[in-house]
Amino acid sequence: MDPELLRQQKAFQKHAATTVAVQNKPSASSNSHTTYSSEAAKAKKKKSSGPAQNLSKLPDFDNFASTNALSNATNFSTMAKIVDYMKKRHLNQQQWPLTLQEMLDELQIYDLSKRSLAFLQEALPNNPRLIMENEKFAFRPPYKIKGRTSLVAVARKHYQDGKGGILVSDLAECVANYDALLQQVAADVIVVPTQVNKKKDRVVFYNDKDYTFPELEDDFKALWRNVSVDHLDEKKIEEYLQKKGLDAMKDLTPKVRMQAPMKRKAAKRRLNQKVQNEHMDGVLEDYE
């Protein structure tokens, strides 16, 4: 073999042993046939994380509901304070009307929101316990009773109209000294204890002096008072009376006759009559 070639081979091997070759990594776009793209994967991951971030920005409906309920409770509580205050003014003979702002100032309520003010402006005119005139409010008592004469007149009107009596709890909202007033009209009214909504109360009836009732014997009074019907309702009492041969009176109201609707007259059917064309005599021809 040529010595020159051998020398060149040794020099090449020596140079190759001392030199380190670094090979570049082939790019995925040029040398790879895979469909995976790192940029597309990053964009897809960012897009998938978007709705979760949007959900975190949504309002808290539970917190909103609790805030709304608290606001409604505050509004109704403020309206109850206003009605109670106007009632006290009425009983203290301070019966001139006030605007909404004047009522809030006298109650020392200064921290209401615009929403609460709008609620009061809409709800107070519809409150049955208040009277509104010229954008001013006053208390509306159950009856127009101011003293002895008006109390007897209202009781007499109830008696004549068959409305029964007047509750003392309603009378207490008309006048302040209702007990003293009842003592003044003791000869004209009859006060009977009762129970309304499981609360003890009294009813004031008009005492009709023209109607005389004989004095009952003590034996009948004792029989009446010994019979307890608190645990029975009207249906059970009626069933008990029917068992004893007593029947309740029913259908005492006058019956209103309902006018029956007018029947529509049926159209008369025409009989199948042969029509003779006498005026066409001599013109028509028979081809039979």
Side-chain angles (χ1 to χ4, degrees):
M1 191 172 190
D2 191 357
E4 183 64 23
L5 293 175
L6 293 173
R7 186 180 60 81
Q8 290 179 358
Q9 181 183 6
K10 291 181 180 180
F12 176 77
Q13 291 176 351
K14 183 179 180 180
H15 182 269
T18 57
T19 304
V20 180
V22 180
Q23 185 177 4
N24 293 331
K25 185 178 180 180
S27 61
S29 59
S30 59
N31 298 328
S32 177
H33 297 284
T34 181
T35 57
Y36 175 77
S37 175
S38 60
E39 297 295 333
K42 290 180 180 179
K44 186 176 181 181
K45 184 177 180 181
K46 186 176 181 181
K47 186 176 180 181
S48 62
S49 62
Q53 295 177 357
N54 294 334
L55 288 175
S56 63
K57 296 180 181 179
L58 290 175
D60 189 355
F61 290 101
D62 293 336
N63 189 19
F64 176 77
S66 60
T67 304
N68 193 20
L70 181 61
S71 177
N72 291 336
T74 303
N75 294 338
F76 284 104
S77 175
T78 305
M79 185 168 62
K81 290 180 181 178
I82 291 174
V83 173
D84 190 49
Y85 175 71
M86 297 303 290
K87 171 186 170 183
K88 292 180 180 178
R89 290 183 73 256
H90 176 80
L91 296 177
N92 293 331
Q93 302 301 322
Q94 300 175 1
Q95 299 177 1
W96 58 87
L98 299 176
T99 61
L100 174 59
Q101 190 59 45
E102 290 173 347
M103 291 187 293
L104 294 177
D105 292 341
E106 293 191 10
L107 287 170
Q108 298 181 358
I109 300 176
Y110 307 110
D111 55 347
L112 287 180
S113 61
K114 293 182 179 179
R115 184 178 180 181
S116 298
L117 286 174
F119 169 81
L120 292 175
Q121 290 173 354
E122 183 180 356
L124 287 179
N126 300 324
N127 194 303
R129 305 189 69 186
L130 295 178
I131 304 172
M132 179 180 176
E133 292 181 0
N134 299 326
E135 297 184 356
K136 292 187 177 182
F137 300 92
F139 181 73
R140 186 198 302 271
Y143 306 102
K144 294 182 179 180
I145 298 175
K146 296 182 179 180
R148 174 178 178 177
T149 305
S150 56
L151 173 58
V152 175
V154 173
R156 184 188 300 112
K157 182 67 175 174
H158 273 58
Y159 171 73
Q160 293 174 352
D161 296 343
K163 295 181 179 179
I166 303 170
L167 290 175
V168 175
S169 58
D170 292 339
L171 181 62
E173 296 185 358
C174 301
V175 292
N177 53 345
Y178 60 92
D179 284 328
L181 184 60
L182 289 175
Q183 293 179 1
Q184 295 176 7
V185 297
D188 299 321
V189 298
I190 300 174
V191 182
V192 179
T194 186
Q195 189 174 5
V196 180
N197 296 329
K198 298 183 179 180
K199 294 182 180 179
K200 292 183 179 181
D201 205 342
R202 291 177 292 169
V203 186
V204 181
F205 293 97
Y206 176 69
N207 185 13
D208 190 359
K209 297 179 181 179
D210 297 333
Y211 180 75
T212 58
F213 189 78
E215 185 68 20
L216 288 176
E217 297 179 3
D218 295 337
D219 295 339
F220 289 102
K221 292 181 181 179
L223 288 174
W224 176 264
R225 292 169 180 171
N226 289 334
V227 177
S228 177
V229 293
D230 295 338
H231 62 286
L232 301 176
D233 55 7
E234 293 184 359
K235 187 176 180 180
K236 291 183 178 179
I237 294 175
E238 185 177 355
E239 292 176 354
Y240 175 80
L241 293 176
Q242 288 177 354
K243 289 180 180 179
K244 298 298 181 179
L246 299 176
D247 196 3
M249 293 185 295
K250 298 180 180 179
D251 299 333
L252 298 178
T253 56
K255 295 182 179 180
V256 180
R257 292 186 177 181
M258 300 297 293
Q259 187 175 3
M262 297 181 64
K263 294 183 178 180
R264 189 175 179 179
K265 293 182 179 180
K268 294 182 179 180
R269 289 187 177 183
R270 293 183 178 180
L271 299 176
N272 294 329
Q273 297 178 355
K274 189 175 181 180
V275 180
Q276 304 291 342
N277 297 324
E278 296 179 355
H279 63 286
M280 301 296 292
D281 189 20
V283 179
L284 296 179
E285 296 182 1
D286 189 2
Y287 293 97
E288 292 180 358

